[in-house]
Structure formats: structure tokens, C-alpha cells
Amino acid sequence: MIKMEYKDLIFPAGFKWGTASSAHQSEGGNHNDWSEWEQVQGNVKDGTDSQVACDHYNRYEEDFDLMKEFGHQVHRFSIEWSRIEPSPERWDERELEHYRRVIQALLVRGIQPMLTLHHFTNPIWFRDLGSWLNPEAPEIFGRYVGKLVSELKDFDIIWNTINEPMVISAMGYLFGEFPPQRKDFGDAQVVSRHLLMAHGQAAEAIRETYEESGKNHPLIAPVMSVSHFMPEDPDDPDDVELATYLDELYNHMWIKGAITGKVIDAEGNEMRYEALENSVDFIGMNYYSRQVVSSRMDFLNGEMPEKTIAERCDGLDWEVFPDGYYPLIKTFWERYGKPLWMTENGIGTMDDSLKCRYIISHLQQVYNAIQDGVDIWGYLVWTWVTNFEWAQGFMSDFGLVGMEPSTLQRIPRESAYLLKDIIEHNGITKEIQQRFLQ
Ligand code: IFM
């Protein structure tokens, strides 16, 4: 076996570390479009649901204590819209108070809250109004955000507007794997446009609420799911063209709109959307894997070339492909010139040594991008405690901390200690790389 030579990869001073999660996947006890959808047999692959999740709603203090013990500096989480606005414009004061306590619990532990306003789930009443297909959806969402921000503006919060808009439109409206299980390219386009406008409405509501109360503009960002598209046959121009097209469609089209403030309307015309102005202070990037595509296959019907990399995420079957990370980071920086946060990266596996290798090999890429001049502010692992992985249920365990199923007791894995070590050194030392990669 060839021994690799490693060197200390130390990140810039002030670089921030932590983990990310979402309300529906971790809290338990939510009632929204997803919780209803989960009850239909066959929708969630392992037959589980989110009703207990990891009971974070009741155990947040314990979870934050553990984060503090492990040296975390930032935690990204979401607020569940259906709890705050259970029916149109009826605000649940008890739930608002709950989230104030959650944010305060992070702050007193010295952990910076990064708050996501929309992470996949919708209130039932919003779904019944047509969800993201409804032309009024962006304003309805903006109204909610305005109320929420007016309640939380006194806390030091980094704001994320919409999590992974392209996943919402592709999985829910094109591939039909998430609610509302539609398979219509036109619908997917409408949804992605409305989500872009909703991001603008949210950013505007945040800015205006802070301005009205004489506060400084907080940091605001959308969070993009990005994937490294590759042609199956790099010598086949059709494969290359398809990979390029999908890269543009999935990775760039939406964020380009947010940065330029332009939306493509139903007739295909570009129009200015004022609320999008100044709506992006940094970009959140969620990277997990690559996507190999072939022009000979029916991509829209889920036909994909066979996977060739043996190491994969359980359930989701995503290949471990760290080499795809750097080019995406670099391209985002060169095209948009906005600072980046690595808001999610991780792997769902019961093989914790694979999880450790995954994190280190992806951090090498982040380090290289920083060395090459990209302004990256932080890195968050998805996720802290084992949680509900959407249509996979509990088949893909992304947690650095496992959970004893009957008591829900938290059990830190070696990967949790790895992240602690990384945070303590502000990087991946030679010793860490040798320990896990050899
Ligand atoms: O669990 C999800 C998360 O909700 C959004 N980004 C990808 C993660 C892993 O699939």
C-alpha cells in the first residue's frame, strides 16, 4: 500500500464549524404536508414517519449541551412554519416562545444560530391553497416571514431563506418523489419561479423589519443544493451537452435569478423582481455527490447509468465523490462573487469510518478552494443527531451522534469526536488525515 504524504490543512482564522438540521427531520410531532404524506403506505421507503424523529423539540437543550461540549460554533436549523402559522394569519404565541427559547439556548452556549425559514415542509392550509403553484405563494410566505422576523429580530441570527429550492421543485414536481408527487416539467418551472420570488419576499421582509427598528442589516442567504454533473461518455457530445444543460438548470439558473434580480415569467420573458435586490449576502452550498448522465437514457423518468463508485450513501445510493466539490465551489465564486458557506455536507451511513473519511476528503476540497482565493466562511456537517431522512425514513443515517432507539439517548460516534478534533485545530491536521485515510 502506498503511504500518502499529508500536511496540516489549517483553515483561516475566524472560519466557523458546526452542524445543520431541520425542524421536521428532528423535532417530532409536526403536522404539515409532509406528516400527512408520510402516512400513505409506500411513500416512506422503510415505512417509518417523522412523528418522533429525534424528539429534538423536547430535547434541544440536551442536544445543544452536547454541541457545546464538542466545541461547535454555529448551528443551522429551521423553524416549522406550520407551528407558527397553523391557519392563515393566526400566530401561535406558544410556538413563537418555544423558538425564542431555542435561539436563546444556542446563544447562551456561545453557538451562533443560522436560521432557515423554509426547509421543505408547508402548513396544510398552504398546501390546500395549491402550495408553491399558487401565484400568491411568494406573498403569503413573505407575510409569514415578516411576522416571524418581527418577533425574533432582537436575537443575533444569520438568516437562510429557502433551503434547496431546486430539490423542492425537482423532487416534488418533476420526479414525483416528494409531496405533492407531481411529474410535470412546466409545474416544476412554476414552482422554482415562485420559490425565487418567495426568497425575494423573505429577504425584503427581513431587511425592512430590521431597518424599521433601526438595526443593522443581518446576513441573508438562500441555500442551494448543488450536484456535480458528468457525462457518462466524455467523448460523446450529446452526453456532454446534457451534463452542461443540467448543470446550468439545477445548479445555476435559480441562484442567477437571485443575484441579478431577474425572474423568467410564464411567457419566457425576463422581468425585474424588485424584492430580489440585495437579497443575497452570501450563498449557502449543500454538496453531497455527483450525477453521471447519459443522453441515451430517459433522465426525466429516473433512468440513470449504473453507479460505478462502490462507496455510497445508504438508501439514497449517492456515490462518494469529493472531487466534484472543488469545481462547484470555484465556479460559484467566479460566477457570483459572493462569499460562501458550506451549509451541508455529509453522508448517511452506518459505517462511521466511511463517514469520517467522507468529511475529511471533502474538507480537503474546501481547503484547496480557500487556498485558491475563494471566500468561504464556514462548514456545517449534515447532521448532528440521527434524524428522519424524508422519503428514506431512517434508512440513511447522517448523524454524527447516534440514538438508542427505545430511549432516544444520544450516543456520540467517532465522527462526532472527529469534528471536535477538527474544530480544536481549525482544520485537518496531518495526524487526522493519517489516522482516518490510511
Ligand atoms: O436531509 C437532507 C436535508 O433535509 C436537505 N439536504 C440534503 C439532506 C440529505 O439528504
Side-chain angles (χ1 to χ4, degrees):
M1 190 170 127
I2 306 163
K3 276 228 164 220
M4 289 288 292
E5 275 302 316
Y6 296 109
K7 57 179 184 131
D8 290 341
L9 306 182
I10 304 305
F11 284 62
F15 191 86
K16 296 275 186 285
W17 305 91
T19 57
S21 70
S22 84
H24 188 73
Q25 291 174 272
S26 54
E27 285 178 346
N30 282 317
H31 185 210
N32 54 35
D33 58 345
W34 264 89
S35 66
E36 290 204 349
W37 184 81
E38 290 158 23
Q39 298 312 317
V40 178
Q41 214 188 348
N43 281 350
V44 178
K45 300 209 175 55
D46 64 355
T48 59
D49 63 31
S50 65
Q51 280 316 290
V52 175
C54 59
D55 193 28
H56 179 71
Y57 188 85
N58 298 306
R59 295 171 196 240
Y60 64 91
E61 292 200 89
E62 178 189 338
D63 291 337
F64 297 164
D65 279 344
L66 207 54
M67 285 177 197
K68 182 177 177 202
E69 197 184 314
F70 279 68
H72 295 197
Q73 298 152 342
V74 178
H75 180 54
R76 174 172 177 250
F77 66 102
S78 70
I79 283 191
E80 175 56 33
W81 182 6
S82 61
R83 287 188 187 271
I84 304 293
E85 193 178 4
S87 54
E89 292 189 81
R90 185 170 75 74
W91 313 107
D92 189 321
E93 291 303 327
R94 222 173 37 94
E95 295 291 4
L96 281 165
E97 184 50 28
H98 169 80
Y99 285 112
R100 273 194 286 265
R101 285 200 302 266
V102 169
I103 294 164
Q104 189 60 25
L106 282 170
L107 290 168
V108 296
R109 287 166 178 79
I111 302 172
Q112 169 68 51
M114 185 183 281
L115 193 162
T116 309
L117 290 160
H118 187 276
H119 196 121
F120 292 179
T121 54
N122 301 302
I124 299 291
W125 60 264
F126 180 79
R127 176 201 64 190
D128 293 344
L129 288 175
S131 201
W132 292 105
L133 285 169
N134 184 333
E136 283 169 28
E139 281 77 23
I140 295 174
F141 183 68
R143 182 187 69 198
Y144 157 67
V145 173
K147 167 67 181 172
L148 186 68
V149 176
S150 70
E151 297 286 338
L152 303 181
K153 64 180 184 310
D154 293 333
F155 296 107
D156 178 14
I157 292 171
I158 299 175
W159 296 93
N160 289 169
T161 53
I162 311 274
N163 179 71
E164 301 181 347
M166 293 310 288
V167 173
I168 300 174
S169 67
M171 296 298 277
Y173 296 83
L174 184 59
F175 297 116
E177 290 182 26
F178 284 3
Q181 279 183 310
R182 297 181 71 90
K183 290 186 178 190
D184 185 306
F185 190 66
D187 281 356
Q189 281 180 306
V190 172
V191 166
S192 100
R193 176 169 68 247
H194 288 165
L195 286 167
L196 180 54
M197 294 157 84
H199 156 77
Q201 291 289 333
E204 189 175 70
I206 299 170
R207 282 195 313 265
E208 284 180 3
T209 310
Y210 274 68
E211 265 159 35
E212 276 160 20
S213 47
K215 292 182 175 299
N216 289 336
H217 174 91
L219 293 171
I220 303 174
V223 171
M224 304 303 296
S225 160
V226 291
S227 186
H228 184 74
F229 289 94
M230 294 173 80
E232 184 185 38
D233 177 357
D235 295 325
D236 179 338
D238 291 341
D239 281 12
V240 174
E241 197 188 336
L242 180 63
T244 311
Y245 167 74
L246 291 173
D247 171 53
E248 200 54 39
L249 184 71
Y250 187 81
N251 293 326
H252 294 289
M253 205 191 63
W254 196 96
I255 191 66
K256 209 160 71 187
I259 304 267
T260 58
K262 289 184 185 141
V263 168
I264 313 284
D265 70 14
E267 281 73 48
N269 304 313
E270 220 176 47
M271 58 163 199
R272 272 213 81 68
Y273 192 69
E274 228 182 279
L276 285 171
E277 239 147 73
N278 294 321
S279 68
V280 182
D281 296 312
F282 68 91
I283 302 172
M285 274 183 89
N286 297 351
Y287 175 79
Y288 290 90
S289 186
R290 69 170 182 177
Q291 203 73 252
V292 179
V293 294
S294 159
S295 55
R296 293 160 297 285
M297 293 185 176
D298 188 354
F299 177 78
L300 287 183
N301 277 315
E303 253 184 63
M304 298 293 266
E306 224 169 274
K307 314 250 165 170
T308 52
I309 297 176
E311 290 192 317
R312 307 205 197 131
C313 174
D314 294 342
L316 290 155
D317 218 24
W318 294 339
E319 296 171 304
V320 175
F321 192 67
D323 286 351
Y325 209 1
Y326 176 94
L328 279 161
I329 296 174
K330 198 77 196 310
T331 307
F332 262 59
W333 174 244
E334 282 164 1
R335 279 178 73 161
Y336 309 117
K338 294 282 179 188
L340 302 171
W341 261 90
M342 303 297 108
T343 33
E344 285 181 30
N345 179 237
I347 181 167
T349 176
M350 292 312 286
D351 177 351
D352 200 54
S353 81
L354 172 58
K355 198 168 273 171
C356 293
R357 271 181 281 127
Y358 182 98
I359 291 169
I360 295 168
S361 57
H362 285 75
L363 276 174
Q364 290 173 329
Q365 303 278 322
V366 178
Y367 177 85
N368 289 340
I370 294 173
Q371 291 309 298
D372 291 347
V374 184
D375 190 10
I376 305 179
W377 290 353
Y379 173 88
L380 307 178
V381 177
W382 183 273
T383 189
W384 189 225
V385 183
T386 298
N387 62 29
F388 177 74
E389 180 49 38
W390 307 111
Q392 308 297 319
F394 287 87
M395 283 162 72
S396 314
D397 185 343
F398 285 82
L400 303 185
V401 175
M403 198 170 54
E404 206 282 309
S406 56
T407 60
L408 306 186
Q409 191 202 334
R410 279 41 177 161
I411 306 163
R413 297 174 166 145
E414 191 174 12
S415 49
Y417 290 94
L418 165 66
L419 182 60
K420 183 170 188 269
D421 221 358
I422 292 172
I423 298 172
E424 273 165 14
H425 291 97
N426 194 32
I428 36 175
T429 58
K430 183 175 166 177
E431 187 279 321
I432 291 177
Q433 292 167 82
Q434 274 163 352
R435 185 152 37 106
F436 290 97
L437 300 184
Q438 265 171 7

